[in-house]
Amino acid sequence: MFQYHCLNPIAEKGLKLFGANRAKTETADQCDAILVRSAKMHDMELPKSVCAVARAGAGVNNIPVKEYAEKGVVVFNTPGANANGVKELVIAGMLLASRDVVSGINWVKENQEDENIAKDAEKAKKKFAGTEVMGKRLGIIGLGAIGVKVANVARHLGMEVLGYDPYVSVDAAWKLSRDVRHVLDVNEIYEQCDYITIHVPLMDSTKNMISAEAISRMKDGVILLNFARDLLVDEEAVLDGITAGKIRYVSDFPNPVTAGKPGCIVIPHLGASTEESEENCAVMAVRQLQEYLENGNILHSVNFPDCDMGVCTAESRVVIFHKNIANMIAKFSSVLGWNNLNIANMMNKSKGDVAYTMVDLESSVSGSIVNQLKTIDGVFRVRVVK
């Protein structure tokens, strides 16, 4: 029986998929897998029994991904599972900023005791007059699961949409409206768009990509939306742009830099905080763990390559985590051959510095053979699936 532990509350709709042959533990000790949302794992001492971590969400900044790879611990995420919830909030944020809805609501609260509030509102509302989004130009940086959904909705709202993503996937391209103009230079987004929304992962290459220089290229009055990661944007530069009357900012990441500042609409990280998104992420995370724990197959891992050999029909299946270096397959085959084990099927995939090998065998595997495989230089972990 496999055991799992949840570092954060995980939607019951997903956990129910584990069934009776999975036990939820109160602590991480001795568990086989961990499910997590926002809990920080960098300083956590990971039990040696843990062979997989599933993040019920897309970002994995709270998980030491590289360190876990070198321990043979697969880290999964759930890209696209919360995309619709984030998409809807992006559109809401765009409309809130366009019509100055927040300022209008605040005025009503401030004047709630006024007996003539209805009459006074007719005079005051001129201060909150906004613009419609129809006919305006939206620039989307990053055409992944969320970016594509935002682009398609914006087209239905009558907006002209420009999309920038040098690495757009074939799957995303198929789902993207053919009316979206794909640009090859992000400066076209900065210079031409009335609204700009960013949907890229946080990496060294994307940190502070919305810089003072980028903002200087933008049109006056641009509305910048950030529902991806706060560190993608130089928010001090954003405040300078707001002071200069050049930009307005909508962010889903409250912090001392922008919280409560004029020109900023800051939302308390609600992008994926819907019942549906949490359930979708939980279901996807549990299914990934099940497929890995039961069959050794890896789908949507951030630190190991996707590798799928289906259900094992041979006598046994062994999976090996190792460095992506030459001659490893030959060494595995030699150990198995010395022990008179015939290989029925094999698959090897690599991702950067690491690799994953799946081997189906016509005979059962003893602990002695597993130990021989573990002693091969460059092997992180060996696991017998069946």
Side-chain angles (χ1 to χ4, degrees):
M1 175 182 287
F2 290 112
Q3 299 185 103
Y4 68 92
H5 177 66
C6 301
L7 293 180
N8 298 107
I10 302 295
E12 196 63 30
K13 183 176 180 179
L15 298 183
K16 285 180 179 178
L17 297 177
F18 275 128
N21 62 336
R22 301 286 182 266
K24 184 178 180 181
T25 62
E26 292 299 318
T27 67
D29 296 341
Q30 303 305 313
C31 72
D32 301 285
I34 289 177
L35 289 110
V36 62
R37 293 182 65 206
S38 59
K40 306 296 183 184
M41 299 187 69
H42 288 276
D43 296 326
M44 176 181 174
E45 186 174 342
L46 195 72
K48 292 182 179 180
S49 60
V50 175
C51 61
V53 173
R55 160 80 164 96
V60 290
N61 301 90
N62 57 320
I63 304 171
V65 172
K66 187 175 186 297
E67 176 188 327
Y68 284 4
E70 293 169 353
K71 294 180 178 180
V73 176
V74 185
V75 178
F76 297 98
N77 68 342
T78 57
N82 58 14
N84 189 70
V86 178
K87 171 208 74 179
E88 291 185 359
L89 198 62
V90 171
I91 299 300
M94 185 167 61
L95 296 173
L96 286 172
S98 298
R99 302 296 297 271
D100 202 9
V101 175
V102 174
S103 296
I105 291 172
N106 289 338
W107 181 90
V108 172
K109 287 183 178 180
E110 293 165 1
N111 293 272
Q112 59 184 316
E113 303 297 332
D114 181 3
E115 294 182 357
N116 298 312
I117 189 171
K119 181 178 179 181
D120 292 342
E122 293 303 313
K123 300 176 183 177
K125 70 180 184 181
K126 294 179 182 179
K127 295 186 295 183
F128 315 120
T131 59
E132 298 177 14
V133 299
M134 186 174 183
K136 302 299 190 302
R137 187 173 289 163
L138 170 66
I140 301 176
I141 301 173
L143 293 170
I146 297 170
V148 166
K149 286 181 179 292
V150 171
N152 293 342
V153 170
R155 283 297 302 137
H156 287 299
L157 291 173
M159 303 184 77
E160 181 183 350
V161 181
L162 279 64
Y164 170 79
D165 192 332
Y167 308 108
V168 63
S169 69
V170 173
D171 184 59
W174 274 108
K175 295 176 181 177
L176 189 64
S177 168
R178 62 182 179 182
D179 294 325
V180 174
R181 180 154 65 92
H182 190 204
V183 300
L184 301 178
D185 185 349
V186 71
N187 289 314
E188 291 188 54
I189 299 284
Y190 298 148
E191 295 166 2
Q192 299 180 28
C193 293
D194 307 294
Y195 304 82
I196 297 174
T197 181
I198 183 168
H199 300 285
V200 298
L202 177 61
M203 303 181 292
D204 290 341
S205 60
T206 59
K207 185 176 181 180
N208 283 339
M209 69 176 296
I210 305 298
S211 60
E213 195 277 333
I215 292 171
S216 70
R217 292 177 173 270
M218 297 179 187
K219 296 172 62 174
D220 290 345
V222 67
I223 293 175
L224 175 65
L225 302 117
N226 180 10
F227 289 79
R229 287 289 182 273
D230 55 349
L231 295 179
L232 295 169
V233 176
D234 181 346
E235 293 187 327
E236 294 289 355
V238 165
L239 295 183
D240 291 340
I242 291 171
T243 301
K246 186 177 185 67
I247 190 172
R248 284 175 284 167
Y249 186 51
V250 184
S251 169
D252 198 27
F253 306 99
N255 60 55
V257 178
T258 55
K261 299 297 193 299
C264 296
I265 297 175
V266 183
I267 300 167
H269 202 189
L270 299 181
S273 294
T274 67
E275 181 180 343
E276 293 86 351
S277 287
E278 291 181 7
E279 288 182 346
N280 290 341
C281 288
V283 167
M284 186 172 179
V286 169
R287 285 177 173 162
Q288 289 170 163
L289 286 178
Q290 281 186 304
E291 189 59 38
Y292 172 67
L293 293 172
E294 294 175 4
N295 299 307
N297 297 320
I298 296 178
L299 304 172
H300 293 302
S301 171
V302 297
N303 61 349
F304 280 98
D306 283 3
C307 202
D308 185 358
M309 290 210 322
V311 177
C312 178
T313 57
E315 181 65 25
S316 61
R317 173 173 290 178
V318 177
V319 298
I320 308 169
F321 299 86
H322 56 95
K323 291 181 180 179
N324 183 23
I325 54 179
N327 207 36
M328 295 301 286
I329 301 301
K331 291 179 180 179
F332 302 154
S333 299
S334 294
V335 168
L336 298 173
W338 291 335
N339 288 278
N340 296 315
L341 291 175
N342 191 44
I343 297 174
N345 198 5
M346 176 183 284
M347 181 178 289
N348 170 266
K349 295 288 185 68
S350 63
K351 188 171 188 174
D353 295 331
V354 299
Y356 184 64
T357 299
M358 303 178 69
V359 186
D360 284 357
L361 300 165
E362 294 182 352
S363 306
S364 59
V365 181
S366 67
S368 172
I369 297 171
V370 170
N371 288 332
Q372 290 175 49
L373 291 169
K374 287 180 178 179
T375 59
I376 296 173
D377 188 36
V379 170
F380 305 135
R381 189 180 199 129
V382 179
R383 181 171 163 254
V384 178
V385 178
K386 178 184 177 184

